[in-house]
Amino acid sequence: MLQVGTTSTIAAFLQRVGRSGHALRATPKGRLFPLTLDELVTGAALLRAVGRGELDRTPQPGRPLDILAQQLVAECAHPWDEDGLYDLATRAWPCRDLAREDFDRCLELHARGRYACCTATASTAACAARGARG
């Protein structure tokens, strides 16, 4: 694999190199060709980090409701009550401070679709103005 210029992250570089060795018992190999002096310095730091086994830090979002929604759908394969699901959700670090109201809105979204937010936050007239079926 030839990488012209540097990648924005260590993970992106490792992924590109890793894809280059998709043969049985092949060792992935890559070469980095910086185009500027700045890229030379960045590339040297990148290769040093790879040599040490360091990876980029991935920031964890707080209360990721999109992930919670996916998890709620997956948990529907098991018998749960809403309190049990809320307790399970708040045991996960990103949702440790999830308000019960946000959790309930997420459940309502699955139960009633995108119009669920209208009943909790707006009057029937406001929902009608937005084209919803309050």
Side-chain angles (χ1 to χ4, degrees):
M1 188 275 313
L2 300 176
Q3 174 64 45
V4 179
T6 59
T7 59
S8 59
T9 64
I10 300 166
F13 179 72
L14 289 175
Q15 184 179 31
R16 289 177 188 168
V17 171
R19 283 194 302 244
S20 70
H22 276 245
L24 194 58
R25 288 185 223 120
T27 301
K29 295 180 183 176
R31 297 199 193 281
L32 181 62
F33 290 95
L35 299 175
T36 66
L37 186 57
D38 287 342
E39 285 185 354
L40 178 63
V41 173
T42 303
L46 174 76
L47 294 176
R48 182 177 289 166
V50 169
R52 289 187 203 158
E54 296 174 5
L55 294 176
D56 305 301
R57 288 186 183 245
T58 304
Q60 293 288 327
R63 295 180 313 240
L65 297 179
D66 57 332
I67 296 170
L68 174 62
Q70 294 172 24
Q71 203 58 37
L72 289 173
V73 170
E75 289 301 326
C76 286
H78 309 287
W80 287 98
D81 62 10
E82 290 178 10
D83 292 332
L85 273 176
Y86 177 70
D87 290 341
L88 179 69
T90 55
R91 276 189 254 147
W93 186 86
C95 292
R96 67 194 180 284
D97 59 352
L98 178 70
R100 180 59 193 244
E101 296 79 31
D102 291 337
F103 175 81
D104 290 339
R105 276 195 292 257
C106 200
L107 276 181
E108 188 71 14
L109 218 80
H110 284 304
R112 299 198 42 219
R114 69 179 190 192
Y115 302 111
C117 66
C118 292
T119 59
T121 60
S123 67
T124 306
C127 288
R130 284 192 274 170
R133 301 180 301 229

